[in-house]
Amino acid sequence: ETAIVVGAPDAMLADAEEDVFSDFLELWVQFGQVTLFSMVFPLAPLLALLNNIMEIRLDAFKVLRMQKRCIPRKASSIGSWLTMFEVLGYIAVMTNVALIGVVFNQSELGSRWLVGWSN
């Protein structure tokens, strides 16, 4: 008779803790792309949402079938990643304000408004 194998043997499974850095890095890069460049490419948030939906399903498969069960540990926060996300958020605000200023100065409405402002 044949045996049904539900998952891979433990020796073939990857450690779950090794992928945490790469997962946070991927989220940070995507957050930066969406917040920094969504004014230039307004479709970016929608594409990021679709990517995240696919990522949730792939991560679920990875956690359930391809990784060893990790030992839970208590953490008070996400550590230095929080600072990196906050800094990127501030940079994104400054970048978007600068983009609005450049586009507004280049537009016809902006030119008329600025001429009226200087008089």
Side-chain angles (χ1 to χ4, degrees), residues 15-55:
D15 286 329
E17 296 175 4
E18 294 175 1
D19 284 342
V20 174
F21 179 80
S22 63
D23 287 343
F24 271 113
L25 182 62
E26 181 182 345
L27 288 172
W28 188 73
V29 168
Q30 185 184 53
F31 177 73
Q33 289 174 342
V34 169
T35 56
L36 291 170
F37 304 116
S38 61
M39 283 194 58
V40 178
F41 185 58
L43 198 57
L46 178 64
L47 293 176
L49 175 66
L50 294 174
N51 176 58
N52 288 341
I53 291 170
M54 290 283 295
E55 190 77 28

Side-chain angles (χ1 to χ4, degrees), residues 39-40 93-111 114:
M39 283 194 58
V40 178
V93 168
M94 292 184 282
T95 303
N96 285 317
V97 167
L99 283 171
I100 289 171
V102 168
V103 170
F104 189 70
N105 279 338
Q106 300 291 329
S107 70
E108 185 178 320
L109 175 64
S111 298
L114 289 174

